[in-house]
Amino acid sequence: MPIGFAGIYHLALFGLLIPFAAVRSARRIDSRRLPPKAAHFISTVVTLLVFFGLSLLVSVRERIVLFPRAAPPLWTITAGGAVLVALVGLMRPIWKSRVAARARKIWLFMPRTPRERALWVACSLAAGLAEEVTYRGVMYVLLWRLTGHPLPAVLIASIVFGVSHWLQGWKGMSIITSIALAMHGLVWISGSLYVAIAVHALYDVAAGLFYAKYGDELGYPLEPLPPPAPAS
């Protein structure tokens, strides 16, 4: 099917504008004080829900089926659980090393009070839903229609997703791009977004809780670290 105006809008917004905004935002944060954590979490939830709403509208206009009635096969749910366990197991040493190194921006992913943990869970659920719908659902299908083949669609959507997380640095973006490829695999074997949404959300929950755990164990400051002093 050809791509309509709504599809072009979606690709321009999420494929170009959002990555560009992510780069600019990360650079500003590098030189400024970090925002209040609770406010950052709330802003993130609102932004993700807006992304979800826009992507849902585009899916209707472009006739993209996001939520089929058929449940995913049980074996694909098991595969999703295995992917989740593997990802968390692989990432735990990396999360701990970031905390030990006093990485400054990690503070934004470290919920340490009951209110922050509740907001972090909300962020994780919103991310699992909105980002899977936006990148593994709508963007992937639009790119497939544009390129005529699923493989470049997967690669482009995964790279765009990684760049949109510029805040986490080059290593973080590389890891997130790899995770995006794994989520595309779950979508492919399960035939829907359901398993990927659940794995994505639970992975994000685990990341925040482990960051907080290691922050407490390793004495990471409760207050945000100041920005680096400007070079003289």
Side-chain angles (χ1 to χ4, degrees), residues 10 14 45-59 66-67 126-134 138 193 197:
H10 191 278
F14 292 102
V45 171
V46 172
T47 300
L48 287 167
L49 292 179
V50 170
F51 287 0
F52 171 69
L54 287 172
S55 294
L56 200 60
L57 287 173
V58 171
S59 74
L66 294 174
F67 301 108
L129 178 63
E131 293 182 342
E132 293 306 314
V133 164
T134 297
V138 178
L193 296 170
I197 288 171

Side-chain angles (χ1 to χ4, degrees), residues 1 7 10 19 38 41 59 67 86-87 96 103 106 114 117 123 159 162-163 171 173 175-176 185 206-207 227:
M1 292 178 60
H10 191 278
F41 289 165
S59 74
F67 301 108
L87 288 175
K96 188 172 185 178
I106 292 303
R117 285 192 287 272
C123 284
I159 292 170
V163 174
K171 184 180 289 187
M173 286 190 295
I175 292 171
I176 289 169

Side-chain angles (χ1 to χ4, degrees), residues 35 100 110 172 182 206:
M110 190 182 291

Side-chain angles (χ1 to χ4, degrees), residues 11-219:
L11 290 176
L13 176 62
F14 292 102
L16 298 174
L17 183 59
I18 296 301
F20 176 75
V23 174
R24 290 194 62 184
S25 176
R27 288 176 176 173
R28 286 198 301 267
I29 287 178
D30 283 338
S31 60
R32 300 179 184 179
R33 286 187 60 84
L34 297 177
K37 196 181 296 182
H40 174 70
F41 289 165
I42 292 171
S43 174
T44 299
V45 171
V46 172
T47 300
L48 287 167
L49 292 179
V50 170
F51 287 0
F52 171 69
L54 287 172
S55 294
L56 200 60
L57 287 173
V58 171
S59 74
V60 173
R61 295 290 297 178
E62 296 291 334
R63 299 181 181 179
I64 299 171
V65 178
L66 294 174
F67 301 108
R69 294 182 180 180
L74 180 59
W75 74 269
T76 66
I77 298 175
T78 303
V83 169
L84 176 63
V85 171
L87 288 175
V88 173
L90 289 170
M91 290 302 299
R92 281 183 63 180
I94 296 174
W95 295 333
K96 188 172 185 178
S97 68
R98 290 174 177 171
V99 175
R102 295 292 193 269
R104 180 170 171 264
K105 287 178 285 192
I106 292 303
W107 185 82
L108 291 172
F109 306 96
M110 190 182 291
R112 300 175 81 173
T113 68
R115 181 169 183 251
E116 288 175 359
R117 285 192 287 272
L119 289 171
W120 179 259
V121 171
C123 284
S124 300
L125 295 176
L129 178 63
E131 293 182 342
E132 293 306 314
V133 164
T134 297
Y135 295 95
R136 255 69 70 191
V138 178
M139 180 179 286
Y140 165 63
V141 173
L142 293 174
L143 289 170
W144 187 349
R145 292 176 181 175
L146 187 65
T147 63
H149 198 279
L151 182 57
V154 166
L155 294 176
I156 295 170
S158 298
I159 292 170
V160 169
F161 184 67
V163 174
S164 297
H165 291 76
W166 192 279
L167 179 65
Q168 300 192 35
W170 282 105
K171 184 180 289 187
M173 286 190 295
S174 300
I175 292 171
I176 289 169
T177 300
S178 299
I179 292 174
L181 292 171
M183 294 301 104
H184 276 289
L186 290 177
V187 173
W188 180 67
I189 66 171
S190 66
S192 68
L193 296 170
Y194 300 126
V195 175
I197 288 171
V199 171
H200 186 151
L202 291 173
Y203 171 85
D204 284 358
V205 170
L209 295 181
F210 274 111
Y211 273 134
K213 174 180 181 293
Y214 295 138
D216 292 338
E217 292 177 354
L218 301 175

